[in-house]
Amino acid sequence: MSARTWTAVDDYIVSSLFDADPALDAVLAANREQGLPAIDVSAAQGKLLSLLVRIRGARKVLEIGTLGGYSTIWMARGLPADGRVVTLELEPHHAKVARSNFERTGVSDKVDLRLGPALQSLAALVSENAGPFDLIFIDADKPNNPNYLSWAMRLSRSGTVIVCDNVIRGGAVLKDDGRDENVVGARAAFSFIGGEKRLDGTAIQTVGAKGYDGFAIAIVD
């Protein structure tokens, strides 16, 4: 099977199961126009995140890595009226684009965007007693995966769902040569989840418009 087929199947999934969504299409267009890297989750993956929020019955979501806010919007849409997403972004330009996208899609009242290094923002959330969160989505710089997971544990409770993106990396996760820091980060996520007694996890390999990758998903016992 080819990447072309994977993308075609993703398109089929979206056309078969999703309503037309000009606002979300405009978000992706704005991200492109503003020069953001094309590393947003796919529409099918965004819908999965939204469904996980609903399945968990989440009211408080933490996202590490905002980019242009595409995944943030999907999760915000899965929240009840009193729900909230706290999302962390390092780059001011990305944050500016994201805020515009939140306005465009009508979710600004559900989103608290924190600008700055994520590790500092996570420490601030702990000091504010902002947790526990019901679902935590990690999709930032991969070498820091174990640090983000460590902070996620401090901001979680029994039943919190933790999702870590980009952990398969086209199968490169099998390589243990230390040459690619993103692969090292992916392997570190597996090591953390597998070695943390409070976590019960698995991983889902994905193919589609974003190529071959996957999510690690765990629940806090």
Side-chain angles (χ1 to χ4, degrees), residues 57-210:
R59 281 183 162 76
K60 294 174 65 176
V61 172
L62 172 62
E63 178 182 48
I64 304 172
T66 311
L67 193 63
Y70 185 70
S71 54
T72 322
I73 293 162
W74 274 110
M75 291 188 289
R77 287 180 166 188
L79 288 168
D82 62 345
R84 197 156 184 81
V85 181
V86 176
T87 184
L88 313 180
E89 176 54 46
L90 173 64
E91 298 293 338
H93 179 58
H94 296 177
K96 180 179 179 180
V97 175
R99 288 192 174 101
S100 177
N101 286 333
F102 301 151
E103 290 284 347
R104 175 180 287 110
T105 53
V107 301
S108 292
D109 61 334
K110 290 185 176 182
V111 179
D112 175 7
L113 193 159
R114 306 283 184 102
L115 180 62
L119 295 177
Q120 294 180 19
S121 297
L122 289 163
L125 288 171
V126 169
S127 68
E128 295 167 18
N129 294 314
F133 290 90
D134 303 307
L135 185 142
I136 300 173
F137 179 46
I138 300 171
D139 190 15
D141 56 307
K142 309 312 172 186
N144 265 316
N145 276 343
N147 294 323
Y148 295 146
L149 284 162
S150 180
W151 281 107
M153 295 302 295
R154 297 182 65 178
L155 289 160
S156 65
R157 59 179 173 81
S158 178
T160 295
V161 174
I162 299 175
V163 181
C164 191
D165 197 9
N166 306 126
V167 297
I168 303 300
R169 311 204 67 81
V173 70
L174 297 176
K175 297 179 181 178
D176 190 20
D177 55 19
R179 295 180 181 177
D180 185 333
E181 62 180 2
N182 292 318
V183 172
V184 172
R187 292 178 65 90
F190 277 96
S191 295
F192 187 100
I193 294 169
E196 172 55 62
K197 293 181 179 179
R198 292 179 58 208
L199 287 176
D200 189 9
T202 188
I204 299 173
Q205 299 183 69
T206 61
V207 295
K210 306 305 292 186

